[in-house]
Amino acid sequence: MIIQKTENSRISSFDPENYSFGDHFTDHMIICEYENGAWGEAKLMPYGPLPFSPSNMAFNYGQACFEGMKAYKDSSDEVYLFRVNKNFERINKSAKRLAMPEIPEEVFVGGLKALMDIDRAWIPTGEGKSLYIRPLIFATEEGLKARVSNKYMFAIVAAPATSYYSAPVSVKISDYYSRAASGGVGFAKAAGNYAASFYPTQLANDEGYEQIIWTDDSTHEYFEESGTMNVFVRIGNTIYTPPTSEKILDGVTRDSFITLAKHKGIDVRVEPIAVKDVLAAQKDGSLKEIWGVGTAVVTTAFKSYGYQGENFELPVLSEEESFALSLKKALVDIQTNAAEDPFGWREKVEKDVLQTV
């Protein structure tokens, strides 16, 4: 790895008590370029802009995918990553679907650990705080030709993170727009998936909802995801979540929630969730919770939902009563080294990683 440390750290200008999600970036970034059929040597370098032409093929034809990860500090100021192998596997799954070259493990994992080590001072501590990490791959060849690019860039950037939502949100169940279609790229973290979701979300915002529960593209009768999150529904004391598919992202937080719930003895059913069943549970009083999970938010509880002009309130539960909140606490405790990790998910970032890369 080529290492170029910044000569002017910006850490003194960062206030760890006053910042918002994703607005500040650490001193360094990882860059690795692909050309002539091979990935070059990774570079750790000062964070900053890169020169690109408007004819860059990523801008014109959308070859771009990314991951979302976090690093955490414990009470002893040690740094930990979480389920890195899952993100490594998924970025390459996304890259393959978008006809982009897969990134080597030594570049992804080695670059990630080197960046976390050198910028560990940027990782905030405290409830709901972490360092959000964005690995991404995108085309860089210049050319207005609708074909696969011959050049790519892999990058990792990181930003201090705080709570994404400060309170439970209201959501609208979509009966027209869909997030993904059969045969498409819904299972990949393709940049275009997010661009296509913004307009329907704006429409929902105009109606007073913060987010959307996406339904299937053919019938709009089944839950798929919510906003940029996987979705969970609790009816009685059973948790339901849709199975992953070519339309639903295989979320790392989703998988972690399922594993933790089963570990706690909670009945979890990975099966389609019909809108009519949710409405029936609402009517008979057995609908207890609906929530979303994802790396950025960890967990977002829903306070109400709208469907075809009607609005429905969800019960207000304490942390002890709520499956969503109790599972969130269990997960964050593992991530921050505040609890035992029976699953081997947590990975410590050793100091002076740069001496070994």
Side-chain angles (χ1 to χ4, degrees):
M1 180 180 293
I2 299 170
I3 299 170
Q4 181 187 350
K5 296 182 181 180
T6 184
E7 296 180 357
N8 299 292
S9 174
R10 292 174 285 104
I11 189 66
S12 61
S13 65
F14 171 65
D15 182 357
E17 303 303 322
N18 184 27
Y19 68 97
S20 55
F21 191 105
D23 286 346
H24 298 78
F25 294 89
T26 64
D27 284 328
H28 299 88
M29 61 184 178
I30 298 291
I31 297 293
C32 187
E33 296 186 75
Y34 179 95
E35 189 173 359
N36 298 322
W39 287 101
E41 189 171 7
K43 303 174 185 177
L44 187 149
M45 58 192 293
Y47 174 84
L50 297 166
F52 292 114
S53 163
S55 63
N56 182 311
M57 293 178 76
F59 304 154
N60 290 277
Y61 304 112
Q63 274 188 295
C65 68
F66 61 86
E67 275 300 312
M69 311 172 65
K70 282 183 177 177
Y72 307 83
K73 272 185 179 174
D74 69 4
S75 58
S76 300
D77 220 32
E78 297 289 352
V79 174
Y80 291 88
L81 293 167
F82 182 73
R83 304 194 75 177
V84 173
N85 62 310
K86 296 286 285 185
N87 296 102
F88 171 66
E89 292 169 1
R90 193 171 61 184
I91 198 170
N92 279 334
K93 185 178 180 181
S94 298
K96 184 176 180 180
R97 178 60 181 85
L98 296 174
M100 299 194 294
E102 297 181 25
I103 192 74
E105 184 174 5
E106 61 269 21
V107 175
F108 185 94
V109 178
L112 178 63
K113 290 181 177 179
L115 183 61
M116 293 305 98
D117 184 28
I118 197 170
D119 282 343
R120 61 176 60 231
W122 284 87
I123 305 174
T125 57
E127 184 176 356
K129 295 181 179 181
S130 59
L131 186 72
Y132 187 76
I133 309 164
R134 171 55 52 82
L136 63 156
I137 306 174
F138 55 96
T140 56
E141 183 181 355
E142 295 182 21
L144 301 181
K145 302 172 184 178
R147 59 160 173 79
V148 171
S149 174
N150 291 311
K151 297 180 181 180
Y152 298 89
M153 180 173 285
F154 170 72
I156 307 177
V157 298
T162 186
S163 298
Y164 203 90
Y165 293 111
S166 58
V169 302
S170 58
V171 294
K172 178 183 179 180
I173 300 176
S174 176
D175 59 1
Y176 179 74
Y177 291 104
S178 294
R179 176 187 170 275
S182 297
V185 295
F187 68 89
K189 284 187 76 71
N193 289 347
Y194 298 79
S197 73
F198 294 155
Y199 176 68
T201 303
Q202 282 183 337
L203 297 179
N205 294 162
D206 291 342
E207 294 181 42
Y209 300 100
E210 283 104 332
Q211 270 296 354
I212 290 176
I213 291 180
W214 304 105
T215 51
D216 66 286
D217 62 299
S218 56
T219 69
H220 295 289
E221 294 177 357
Y222 295 91
F223 281 22
E224 290 199 333
E225 293 190 6
S226 180
T228 59
M229 303 173 286
N230 292 115
V231 65
F232 286 76
V233 174
R234 174 186 171 189
I235 297 176
N237 286 323
T238 299
I239 293 175
Y240 298 85
T241 192
T244 57
S245 67
E246 61 185 9
K247 297 189 292 180
I248 296 177
L249 189 72
D250 187 6
V252 177
T253 309
R254 170 191 177 275
D255 182 75
S256 302
F257 257 68
I258 292 171
T259 302
L260 279 168
K262 290 180 177 178
H263 186 71
K264 289 176 173 290
I266 299 172
D267 183 22
V268 181
R269 301 186 187 180
V270 181
E271 59 186 51
I273 301 172
V275 176
K276 64 180 180 62
D277 291 341
V278 173
L279 295 174
Q282 175 79 39
K283 186 175 181 180
D284 68 24
S286 60
L287 180 62
K288 302 300 183 184
E289 298 177 86
I290 306 176
W291 70 93
V293 303
T295 298
V297 301
V298 185
T299 303
T300 296
F302 301 155
K303 63 182 179 182
S304 63
Y305 64 94
Y307 182 65
Q308 294 186 342
E310 289 190 77
N311 197 64
F312 304 91
E313 299 293 324
L314 287 163
V316 178
L317 303 177
S318 67
E319 184 175 302
E320 291 72 25
E321 297 171 318
S322 167
F323 286 178
L325 296 180
S326 62
L327 288 170
K328 175 184 179 180
K329 183 180 186 306
L331 180 61
V332 171
D333 283 350
I334 290 175
Q335 292 170 329
T336 57
N337 197 32
E340 291 298 317
D341 176 12
F343 314 107
W345 288 341
R346 189 172 58 226
E347 184 173 355
K348 184 178 178 180
V349 177
E350 300 295 342
K351 295 179 180 178
D352 300 320
V353 170
L354 292 177
Q355 294 182 11
T356 64
V357 297

